[in-house]
Amino acid sequence: MEQSNLSANTVMDHPRALTDKITQIRIAGPSKFQVIADFDATLTRYRVNGLRGQTSHGLLQQGDAYYDAKRQALYDHYHPLEISPVIPIDEKTKLMEEWWSKTHELLIEGGLTYAAIKKSVANSSIAFREGVTELFEFLEKKEIPVLIFSAGLADVIEEVLRQNLHRTFKNVKIVSNRMVFNDDGQLVSFKGKLIHVLNKNEHALDMAAPLHDQLGVDTGEEDEENANMKQRTNVLLMGDHLGDLRMSDGLNYETRISIGFLNDNIEKSLESYREAFDVVYLNDAPMWGALELVSQLFSTEAS
């Protein structure tokens, strides 16, 4: 997407307010800044080759048609409840915990292996937006952390990053459901508390599984790192649903710039998106606009 097309797919209702936020964040500097991003249809593309791209959960195939079908049946039952506008939030939260728990149980019972995850990712139609690699590289250079919040599976997301970006970033942390495998590479349990679609926010930092080194040993740096994150009170938040704005709940932020990716049902949803987000990108736009924004915040000449 060329710059002219990106501009045509950019909606910004209050440019003056955004300019003021940019100024405040620039003055505070990169040491007070963090990026919070949803994964599916935010960092990844909504459509791939003209078709709806897969999600990190949707791409997973256990290698057992029976268990894949059972997980699909759970989706068919619970997804309408997830998006229902009439179910109270407390009741919906219990339903989401139920759904995620049953799905995780099926993955364990069905003998999911890490080899199956690698194969699923290799065969998937998941792809990152153009500019994601460049955005991560810029933020890494500035030592600005990126928190990827997902109600999905951390191990799947990490494999997607490995296979699609072909490198890792020391500033990127995935806050999601993390698997535990035995010596044969078979899933035996999940680590940390359950993270689902209604609780994926900065509170989840305290719920997520610890960071691990290459040998799978806890680094012991989690508490210090999480405390550091909470000192970074200026935020760029990126999501594709209005509910993603809750990802910064639990952080007593001073200044937040929010970017919304409106990928579908644009006519129906644009009004609510433009009211909620500082900037809205339409039609599966690339990540170049976000990169330009952080470049404005922190010039490349000096950290």
Side-chain angles (χ1 to χ4, degrees):
M1 185 178 287
E2 296 178 356
Q3 186 63 41
S4 58
N5 289 336
L6 180 59
S7 298
N9 284 284
T10 304
V11 178
M12 192 186 313
D13 267 13
H14 304 288
R16 178 62 185 272
L18 178 59
T19 300
D20 290 344
K21 289 183 178 184
I22 290 171
T23 300
Q24 291 164 13
I25 292 174
R26 280 179 64 95
I27 290 170
S31 66
K32 296 283 285 182
F33 186 69
Q34 64 173 297
V35 175
I36 300 172
D38 173 53
F39 186 72
D40 291 309
T42 296
L43 295 176
T44 63
R45 288 161 58 187
Y46 186 76
R47 289 186 181 83
V48 179
N49 298 323
L51 301 174
R52 176 70 173 94
Q54 289 180 299
T55 65
S56 54
H57 241 306
L59 67 82
L60 187 59
Q61 298 295 310
Q62 288 181 246
D64 186 315
Y66 172 76
Y67 283 99
D68 288 338
K70 290 194 79 168
R71 286 191 295 116
Q72 182 62 45
L74 288 177
Y75 177 89
D76 294 341
H77 174 71
Y78 284 102
H79 182 61
L81 304 178
E82 176 193 350
I83 63 176
S84 169
V86 297
I87 299 176
I89 190 68
D90 289 348
E91 182 181 345
K92 188 178 289 191
T93 297
K94 291 178 182 177
L95 289 167
M96 295 303 100
E97 290 173 353
E98 194 177 279
W99 180 11
W100 260 250
S101 295
K102 288 180 178 178
T103 298
H104 289 182
E105 287 168 7
L106 287 175
L107 292 173
I108 295 169
E109 185 183 323
L112 178 71
T113 63
Y114 198 82
I117 290 176
K118 293 174 73 172
K119 183 178 179 181
S120 295
V121 173
N123 293 336
S124 72
S125 61
I126 197 167
F128 286 96
R129 294 178 190 269
E130 289 182 32
V132 166
T133 299
E134 290 83 354
L135 175 65
F136 283 0
E137 287 174 344
F138 180 91
L139 295 169
E140 183 179 49
K141 183 179 178 183
K142 297 296 176 186
E143 299 183 345
I144 293 168
V146 179
L147 293 183
I148 299 175
F149 282 90
S150 175
L153 302 164
D155 306 82
V156 174
I157 292 171
E158 286 174 349
E159 190 61 33
V160 172
L161 286 165
R162 271 192 288 270
Q163 291 194 27
N164 286 270
L165 300 186
H166 308 295
R167 60 156 296 186
T168 57
F169 297 88
K170 65 178 183 290
N171 61 322
V172 174
K173 177 179 180 180
I174 297 167
V175 182
S176 188
N177 298 291
R178 189 166 294 280
M179 300 172 171
V180 178
F181 296 89
N182 63 18
D183 292 340
D184 296 324
Q186 184 169 319
L187 175 65
V188 293
S189 65
F190 283 82
K191 190 146 189 161
K193 295 182 182 179
L194 192 69
I195 299 174
H196 55 79
V197 70
L198 293 181
N199 71 349
K200 60 167 192 176
N201 54 47
E202 289 252 353
H203 290 299
L205 271 178
D206 303 318
M207 299 164 54
L211 291 172
H212 294 85
D213 65 17
Q214 294 298 319
L215 299 176
V217 179
D218 292 357
T219 63
E221 299 174 356
E222 193 75 0
D223 290 342
E224 181 180 345
E225 182 176 347
N226 289 355
N228 175 262
M229 297 301 294
K230 290 172 182 177
Q231 298 301 311
R232 292 177 174 268
T233 50
N234 293 327
V235 180
L236 171 64
L237 182 149
M238 299 188 292
D240 69 302
H241 291 293
L242 296 176
D244 288 334
L245 289 162
R246 296 195 300 264
M247 292 190 298
S248 57
D249 289 357
L251 175 70
N252 187 22
Y253 63 82
E254 295 176 20
T255 305
R256 183 184 74 176
I257 295 175
S258 57
I259 293 177
F261 290 89
L262 180 51
N263 301 304
D264 205 3
N265 296 321
I266 291 173
E267 193 170 313
K268 178 181 176 183
S269 302
L270 181 56
E271 192 60 34
S272 57
Y273 272 63
R274 69 195 305 166
E275 289 176 7
F277 292 96
D278 292 304
V279 184
V280 180
Y281 292 114
L282 310 176
N283 297 312
D284 218 8
M287 198 58 72
W288 301 124
L291 177 58
E292 182 179 345
L293 176 62
V294 295
S295 299
Q296 283 182 263
L297 292 172
F298 310 112
S299 66
T300 54
E301 285 76 20
S303 295

